[in-house]
Amino acid sequence: MITQTVLMHSKKIIRAGKKTTEAKKALIMVHGRGGSAEDILTLANYLDVREYALLAPQATGNTWYPYSFLMPPAQNEPWLSSALSVLKEVMADVEADGISRENIYFLGFSQGACLTLEFVTRNAGKYGGVVAFTGGLIGDKIYPENYTGNFEGTPVFIGTSNPDPHVPVDRVKKSENILKGMGADITVNIYNNMGHTISQDEINLANTLVFRK
């Protein structure tokens, strides 16, 4: 009997900004549940990324995995593994075009922020920077055995609301501890009653802490 991996997500990438073959830096932008690659790319208008190549993968059906990120990971399979594979392929393509990992940045919102944090922490290394607008590591609990490598001082910013309808502050704090322990230069800002959105203050901090470094 041959077991075959089901590919839930195809590698559909919307690009903006400079070409990867011409840019020195690249930003991979990951949309949230119900969002789109085109939507998340509009955030670039507010970020200091004018000289970057911008790449936004599109999830099949506009969602990366079907259930809450707080469910046991197995319940979100095979979609979760497929989504992580898409990000790995996008990063490999960027590297193949001559942009080194230390000049590759990641940004995500909500479900996309959770996926972004999960991907970079499973593949920790010296990245340009990571921005997670409302997100935490994926699972019914933290699974430290899934995370390897060292961030070597990579700047990471996480912003979230207290409360948030989808992402508990406790999970954000536990995620912060994991990334800090793996060498990330991490900043977490928790905003009282901000709602499930992205604030101007978060944009400002992302620019100051990550994109201007």
Side-chain angles (χ1 to χ4, degrees):
M1 182 178 180
I2 298 175
T3 303
Q4 204 168 23
T5 301
V6 179
L7 183 63
M8 306 307 297
H9 300 288
S10 58
K11 192 174 71 175
K12 179 184 176 186
I13 312 300
I14 308 299
R15 295 171 179 257
K18 292 203 164 190
K19 293 180 179 178
T20 48
T21 51
E22 298 172 356
K24 293 181 180 177
K25 296 181 178 182
L27 172 60
I28 298 169
M29 308 180 75
V30 189
H31 69 77
R33 186 189 301 273
S36 70
E38 288 89 348
D39 290 341
I40 196 76
L41 279 170
T42 63
L43 266 182
N45 296 326
Y46 306 95
L47 302 169
D48 289 340
V49 294
R50 284 173 293 279
E51 298 301 312
Y52 289 51
L54 307 174
L55 302 93
Q58 175 62 51
T60 299
N62 302 93
T63 187
W64 292 108
Y65 43 85
Y67 305 115
S68 165
F69 84 109
L70 297 170
M71 297 294 282
Q75 294 192 24
N76 275 314
E77 293 294 0
W79 299 274
L80 176 58
S81 289
S82 179
L84 292 166
S85 293
V86 168
L87 293 190
K88 192 168 188 176
E89 287 185 42
V90 175
M91 185 173 72
D93 289 346
V94 171
E95 290 181 294
D97 280 341
I99 298 177
S100 63
R101 189 166 300 195
E102 63 190 24
N103 287 314
I104 297 175
Y105 295 70
F106 286 86
L107 176 151
F109 170 64
S110 191
Q111 190 188 59
C114 297
L115 183 63
T116 292
L117 289 172
E118 187 71 15
F119 175 78
V120 297
T121 311
R122 288 191 185 204
N123 302 275
K126 177 63 174 174
Y127 295 100
V130 180
V131 175
F133 293 126
T134 311
L137 294 172
I138 293 173
D140 53 318
K141 62 179 182 177
I142 298 289
Y143 290 88
E145 64 272 19
N146 288 340
Y147 307 127
T148 58
N150 191 291
F151 283 105
E152 300 177 40
T154 297
V156 178
F157 171 69
I158 305 176
T160 195
S161 176
N162 183 23
D164 181 86
H166 305 291
V167 180
V169 168
D170 179 65
R171 176 54 59 89
V172 174
K173 290 180 176 178
K174 287 178 178 175
S175 302
E176 175 187 13
N177 289 337
I178 292 287
L179 271 76
K180 186 179 291 182
M182 294 174 66
D185 180 9
I186 187 167
T187 302
V188 173
N189 256 37
I190 299 168
Y191 301 85
N192 287 327
N193 300 306
M194 178 178 71
H196 197 67
T197 187
I198 300 171
S199 69
Q200 184 60 52
D201 191 67
E202 287 178 290
I203 294 287
N204 294 344
L205 284 170
N207 282 327
T208 301
L209 299 171
V210 178
F211 298 118
R212 290 178 189 157
K213 281 209 168 183

